[in-house]
Amino acid sequence: MQASTSRIESYFCKLNGTPISTNQSMNRLAYTEDERRAHHTFSELAVSLGMTVQTDAVGNTIARLKGSDDTQPVVAIGSHLDTVRNGGQFDGTAGVVAGLEVVALFNEHRIQPHHPIELIAFVSEESSRFGVATLGSKAMIGEFPIDKMSTLTDQDGVSLAEALRRCKLNPEVVEKACRSKTDIKSFFELHIEQGPELESLDVPVGIVNGIAAPTRLKLTFQGQANHTGTTSMMRRKDALVAASEMILFVEDAAKLEAINKTVATVGICEVTPASMNVIPGEVTLYVDIRSTSMVSKQRVHQQIRKKAYVIEQYRGVTCEIDVLSKEIPIVIERHIQERLQSACEEIDINYENMPSGAGHDAMNMAKLWPTGMIFVPCKNGVSHDPTEYSTVEQIAAGTNVLITAIRREASR
Ligand SMILES: [Zn+2]
């Protein structure tokens, strides 16, 4: 069975509403008309492939292909259809397209899987609109932030609850999107890598062995604001100079964990009062530490605490550390990794085992169901940008691995 590049291309064109291009901005934010239109197109495509389609309580679109024993738990394939602002054509959409192509291949070869197959187009994977990521898959595993629905707002002040209502969804019953453990046998997501590894190694497929999760810290350095002209260099308690030492240290601490592929970033630095003639009195840094190893993340976290103590001692400032979040990385089950590896071997395609640095719907699904992830290369490792690009041949190669694995997974 060979995925059809022309079918794949036509699925992209229809879902994105535009021909594939190397520079095309997509703006399909969660719960907007544009996002709903893509879900509607997905439904039409799934129906044309002989599937039944429903929208769940949170806005995920779920298409189902009957199994020869339809009482069996489903083998599910999915990804998301929303994009970031000024995003690309492949992030999320590639996985939905691959799922459609898997079903098209079953049809073309007149194969009815033993287990039913589900294609899931998740809603609101990106955090761009409401600041919270993977809402659709969170709802599916019962982790939707129901208590925050009226306080989470977009930049126009529209609450998440109101956004659902505008899509004819009832925010009161979102918990109905939750699925039971026995519903689903396993879940698979194909996604562009969003990094440069596969392209630089010239390997067509990545098999994900873990999904990194962030630990996020807020560091508040309190010094003393004062006149820049009258305060000698010896008498200063400059919060920004203290914070600068920390920024450099965060980089060093992560580099020491390179073997675990741990990364750490200071992405926000707020300086108060931010004036040319005042010594910075207070600085807040936001630190994001990511790894597939909790132990490694914890070591970086501890090093940052020790460094903060040292800086406090000799700079006469204080540093308060708040832990904003501490998420547990996802380990991909061994037997699912092996299922994908043997699929690669069966069709003689090279693969690389690799962690995922970014979060995906798969990381939520993996909490309840055996879950696998396939990466395909993307040009220069770029994503979340109009120049995000993979060839249809690259998507087809990943889809060939997916269909090979799904055929076995969905057989008797
Ligand atoms: Zn994505």
Side-chain angles (χ1 to χ4, degrees), residues 79-80 82 91-92 125-126 189 191-192 194 359-361 384:
S79 198
H80 58 101
D82 64 319
D91 178 354
E125 192 271 345
E126 305 287 0
E189 181 170 8
H191 204 280
I192 58 167
Q194 300 181 278
H360 297 287
D361 289 308
H384 288 188

